[in-house]
Amino acid sequence: GAVVSQHPSWVICKSGTSVKIECRSLDFQATTMFWYRQFPKQSLMLMATSNEGSKATYEQGVEKDKFLINHASLTLSTLTVTSAHPEDSSFYICSAPKHRGTDTQYFGPGTRLTVL
Amino acid sequence: SQQGEEDPQALSIQEGENATMNCSYKTSINNLQWYRQNSGRGLVHLILIRSNEREKHSGRLRVTLDTSKKSSSLLITASRAADTASYFCATDPREAGSYQLTFGKGTKLSVIP
């Protein structure tokens, strides 16, 4: 099956620093990737749609200057949490559909961000 | 915004019993998907059922979809301790090429050996 990886799997940082999370599709090209965040014991909330070669589309309430998304290649999307604060601590998960026209998405293993 | 609503929120059963989880949604869909998440891990796709399908099977999984009631159920038969996880339904909107999924709140299943 298709594989999506994320790096790092966990990160601890100080308040005010920026953290970059990578999402890679390992065996397929992904023109679109999705970024979700998940608070403890809650569901996944879509943050933004990452589009290769163009600007990301953010969901209502998600600050685009806070969560910078770059989809520079067909296999890599990055999410940078800028000037992180403790309330940004969460589990961040990316996903990608393998082919256009298919419905199944493949999810990365997630990145646990803890901001002290 | 959340569309899917699963119930129960938590379910605890003995190994060997069947587990049934339900999901309701609000808008028209192209398909509905069920995912599993082990604690602190990513999501694993379990099964997809399209809006024109009523029932689908995959191994010990059985999914039903009632578009008139905007609801779906996931049945896991002969449960095993390894089935312990959170289960989420996710709806794919009717818009072509959207790919965006809206997740429900999930059901936390505990299978006691």
Side-chain angles (χ1 to χ4, degrees):
Chain A
V3 177
V4 174
S5 70
Q6 282 183 240
H7 177 80
S9 56
W10 59 270
V11 56
I12 300 173
C13 69
K14 292 182 179 179
S15 188
T17 61
S18 295
V19 175
K20 180 185 284 188
I21 303 170
E22 295 183 347
C23 176
R24 292 181 186 272
S25 54
L26 298 184
D27 56 353
F28 65 100
Q29 294 181 333
T31 55
T32 301
M33 290 182 173
F34 300 96
W35 286 97
Y36 298 84
R37 67 186 297 181
Q38 183 181 31
F39 291 107
K41 299 183 180 179
Q42 294 190 27
S43 187
L44 281 75
M45 297 294 293
L46 179 65
M47 297 175 66
T49 303
S50 174
N51 304 297
E52 189 270 334
S54 64
K55 291 182 179 179
T57 304
Y58 291 81
E59 294 300 300
Q60 190 173 8
V62 178
E63 300 176 57
K64 60 180 181 181
D65 295 329
K66 172 77 172 177
F67 299 99
L68 300 178
I69 291 173
N70 184 11
H71 197 145
S73 77
L74 287 170
T75 59
L76 174 65
S77 174
T78 60
L79 169 68
T80 301
V81 183
T82 62
S83 186
H85 289 93
E87 56 265 31
D88 299 323
S89 298
S90 189
F91 194 54
Y92 292 87
I93 306 176
C94 68
S95 74
K98 187 173 183 179
H99 302 295
R100 291 196 69 80
T102 62
D103 301 312
T104 302
Q105 291 194 29
Y106 296 91
F107 283 78
T111 296
R112 172 77 58 194
L113 170 63
T114 302
V115 185
L116 302 176
Chain B
S1 62
Q2 293 281 14
Q3 166 154 252
E5 294 279 344
E6 285 98 331
D7 77 271
Q9 291 187 356
L11 178 62
S12 184
I13 60 174
Q14 294 288 332
E15 199 166 30
E17 294 180 339
N18 296 341
T20 299
M21 289 160 268
N22 302 297
C23 168
S24 61
Y25 58 93
K26 297 176 183 176
T27 63
S28 297
I29 61 170
N30 178 49
N31 64 69
L32 185 144
Q33 306 177 31
W34 284 92
Y35 289 83
R36 164 200 170 117
Q37 183 182 36
N38 283 44
S39 181
R41 301 290 195 89
L43 274 72
V44 175
H45 181 265
L46 295 176
I47 196 165
L48 180 153
I49 186 164
R50 299 189 186 284
S51 59
N52 60 353
E53 297 176 311
R54 292 296 167 257
E55 188 171 313
K56 205 162 183 179
H57 298 255
S58 177
R60 293 185 295 114
L61 305 180
R62 173 177 167 251
V63 169
T64 63
L65 179 65
D66 187 335
T67 53
S68 66
K69 296 181 179 178
K70 290 186 167 60
S71 67
S72 173
S73 67
L74 171 67
L75 168 68
I76 303 175
T77 60
S79 64
R80 305 167 182 169
D83 295 329
T84 295
S86 290
Y87 292 82
F88 295 91
C89 69
T91 52
D92 186 351
R94 187 163 286 281
E95 292 84 13
S98 172
Y99 301 114
Q100 286 190 358
L101 297 177
T102 301
F103 283 84
K105 295 180 179 178
T107 294
K108 186 172 184 179
L109 173 66
S110 299
V111 181
I112 303 167

